[in-house]
Each structure stands twice: as C-alpha cells, then as structure tokens.
Amino acid sequence: MAATFDHGGGVRSVRVPIPDNPLGHTLVYVVDTDRGPVLVDTGWDDPGSWDTLLAGLAECGTAVGEVYGVVITHHHPDHHGLSARVREASGAWVAMHAADAAIVRRARETRPERWFSYMAAKLTAAGAPEAHVAPLRTPRARTLPGLSPALPDREILPGELLDLPGRRLRAVWTPGHTPGHVCLHLEEEHPAQLPGRGRLFSGDHLLPGITPHIGLYEDPDDATVTDPLGDYLDSLERIARLTPAEILPAHQHPFTDAPARVRALLDHHESRLSNLLALLAEPLTPWQLAERMEWNRPWSDIPYGSRTIAVSEAESHLRRLVKQGRAEPVRGSEPVAYAAV
C-alpha cells in the first residue's frame, strides 16, 4: 500500500520516495477540483517512485489519467521529475514560474560537458583543491539528474489564482531555494477550523524541522551577481504575513504557526552569518569557509557531491555579508578570499 494521507477538504498527499536520499520522500499533494485532480509537485523520475505515485492516486480514489493539471513549486528533480510522465499519461497541463522554467529550458539545451566545465571553473574560483575539481574534467560517461526535465506549458504568475475550477489557489513567489520557487496559498477555510488564513503548500521554502539549501543560482550563460539568501529571507517574511492556518510542506510533515517557524529560520540565518563573520577574522576562500562552517557532520565525513553543495551555500552567505557591508573580497587574492570589515 502506498503511503497516503487525507488532509480533509479535498486535499490528500502521497509519499513518493526519493532514491538514496536522506530526505526519504516528496509529499505530492492531490487537490480535488471540478475538472479532476491537480497535483502539487510529482516526485523523482524513478520507476519505483512512479509506481508509488500510481498506487497512491488509486488509494486517493483516482488515477493518473484523470489528472487535470500539475503545479510545480520549483524545478528540482524530486519535485518536477515525474511531470512529463504524468502529462503523457493524462494530457494535464504543467505550470511553473518563469524563472525556473528558464532553468529547465537551459538544462535541456545545454550539453552536459558545458555544465561540468562550468562547475569546474566555479569550484576553482572558490578555492577548491585540484583533487576535488579533477573528476569534473575527466572525460567519461557522466549524467546528471534532471538534464531533460519536462518543459512546462503554463507560467505561474505571482499573485494569480491558478486554474483549479472550484478552488481558490493563489501563487506566492518565494525565491531563495530556487529563483522561481512558489508557495501556493489555498484561500479556503481550514477543514478542521484551525485559526488562520487557509492552508499553504510550501514546497521546500518552509519546512518544519530542516532549513532548505540556499546556494547560488547556477547558470553557465548568466553572470548576474545574485543574492539568493537575501531573496530567501525576504520571502520568509512574506509568508509569515500570510498567517496560514496550516503549512503543507513537500518534505517531513504538515505543521502550524508559520510566523514562529519563520522567526526561528530568520534567527538561524542571522546566527550563522554572525558565526561566519567570526571565521572571517582571517581571509578565507569560499572553500576554506565551507570547511570551517558547522554542518550536520564533520567536513571529513561529507561526501564529494555534498561538498560542492556546501561551497555553494558558503558563497550565498558571503554574498549576503558583502551586500550588507559586513565583509569584502581581499584585493589581489587569487582565488578570491574574503574578510570581515
């Protein structure tokens, strides 16, 4: 039996597994509408995940062929991965914010070799040792997940009511985790009469017990200096002002009191920025900073791919400190090191 749950008011969820990932699963939400079910996210593109989604839809009293539409909170493969298969099986539309749709388009059009050479250059500039960069330069058969994701056929516009006949689902743009991440506000009375304004499908933006990865927005063809952490913190405050009665996240479990969770996350990131400033009493490259940051395990135990993600997160925090005038690059350093002001 698939792991499904009835949240009441015509909303159910299916726990779709993410292979070999500590997150375990993506919560795919099934929202009843007058034209058939609409899915919020779809899960990882894997045969076992697909089978779980099909079984879960059956437990919810429907089938993939009945799906009317798919709303994607963001482009990551554990959310968008099965969108193409759902659309192929049902004829459903697939909607995504334009900023993430552009990433999907570039991923489809860019050869893997371009991505690997881009990442090698980025890591070298961040001060990564040659032993870490070398595998990206080795010519061999290499694939990355999500390099041929489904192109969405509808654009999610911030503030708009989406096409869910008989329901009121409004898009809230919450960049940070990705540039086009959206939360979805179900502007209907909570089925259990909980105090607050409806329910919020929060994707990865607001999770009950973990903080989402906030790294740099990677694009080989765009040299714009972005501030993802600043985007994320601003977006958090936007969600707190909504005061939803309940949050339905893409991972872990539903929870209440969004303003309290937002405050905890804002405090967490301010504490982390202060700790990084202390480390920057001496000039450090982004790689050196990542080595010294606190993670959920010692740096020596962090696997190769996760180290790359950690360096991206260190860089996003450096961008925020530089923008705030609390740190600056050290003139003439190569690779570039940063120091507290």
Side-chain angles (χ1 to χ4, degrees):
M1 296 288 281
T4 61
F5 187 82
D6 188 347
H7 300 271
V11 176
R12 299 170 180 82
S13 61
V14 182
R15 292 163 58 106
V16 177
I18 311 170
D20 302 318
N21 189 294
L23 276 176
H25 61 270
T26 301
L27 290 170
V28 173
Y29 291 95
V30 185
V31 183
D32 294 341
T33 81
D34 292 344
R35 294 281 296 276
V38 167
L39 305 185
V40 176
D41 292 333
T42 58
W44 190 275
D45 185 8
D46 173 80
S49 303
W50 174 248
D51 290 344
T52 299
L53 179 61
L54 295 184
L57 289 170
E59 281 191 25
C60 292
T62 185
V64 69
E66 303 298 317
V67 173
Y68 171 62
V70 177
V71 185
I72 299 299
T73 60
H74 62 294
H75 72 86
H76 287 163
D78 55 322
H79 297 258
H80 182 44
L82 286 171
S83 298
R85 294 196 70 172
V86 171
R87 181 166 58 192
E88 184 180 333
S90 63
W93 47 262
V94 176
M96 182 184 288
H97 186 281
D100 273 21
I103 293 172
V104 168
R105 194 169 296 109
R106 287 193 297 270
R108 291 171 61 90
E109 295 170 356
T110 304
R111 291 181 303 118
E113 294 78 8
R114 176 81 174 92
W115 281 104
F116 283 109
S117 61
Y118 167 74
M119 290 305 301
K122 289 276 291 181
L123 285 162
T124 298
E130 177 58 25
H132 186 86
V133 180
L136 296 169
R137 301 197 185 102
T138 305
R140 53 189 170 86
R142 296 170 299 197
T143 59
L144 289 172
L147 281 182
S148 296
L151 273 176
D153 42 71
R154 292 191 182 184
E155 181 180 330
I156 296 175
L157 299 174
E160 76 167 343
L161 282 173
L162 279 79
D163 179 20
L164 275 68
R167 310 303 296 254
R168 288 185 61 84
L169 187 68
R170 193 176 301 277
V172 184
W173 184 34
T174 51
H177 183 56
T178 72
H181 191 291
V182 293
C183 293
L184 303 153
H185 191 199
L186 193 60
E187 299 177 335
E188 301 168 6
E189 193 171 280
H190 192 281
Q193 308 293 308
L194 294 182
R197 302 173 55 211
R199 292 182 280 182
L200 186 79
F201 300 103
S202 65
D204 281 0
H205 183 67
L206 196 62
L207 301 167
I210 54 177
T211 58
H213 167 65
I214 309 295
L216 298 188
Y217 301 147
E218 306 290 4
D219 179 359
D221 302 311
D222 187 351
T224 305
V225 178
T226 57
D227 179 19
L229 182 56
D231 292 343
Y232 178 66
L233 299 176
D234 289 345
S235 300
L236 278 178
E237 296 191 4
R238 189 175 308 134
I239 292 305
R241 289 192 293 270
L242 281 179
T243 61
E246 186 178 24
I247 300 91
L248 303 177
H251 305 290
Q252 298 190 302
H253 54 81
F255 61 104
T256 58
D257 201 349
R261 182 61 183 145
V262 166
R263 282 194 302 274
L265 286 166
L266 292 173
D267 289 347
H268 162 79
H269 282 286
E270 182 50 44
S271 173
R272 194 166 211 202
L273 288 169
S274 297
N275 290 339
L276 298 193
L277 269 183
L279 292 173
L280 292 172
E282 60 173 316
L284 297 173
T285 66
W287 180 275
Q288 290 170 330
L289 186 62
E291 286 180 315
R292 291 160 173 78
M293 288 170 69
E294 284 191 22
W295 305 104
N296 60 2
R297 57 192 133 168
W299 182 258
S300 58
D301 294 343
I302 295 177
Y304 176 87
S306 298
R307 289 189 180 192
T308 298
I309 293 170
V311 172
S312 182
E313 182 132 347
E315 289 190 282
S316 73
H317 281 73
L318 281 169
R319 290 265 180 100
R320 178 96 288 250
L321 290 170
V322 170
K323 189 167 184 177
Q324 291 175 329
R326 300 160 79 184
E328 62 184 18
V330 176
R331 187 178 303 225
S333 56
E334 182 66 35
V336 178
Y338 294 81
V341 174

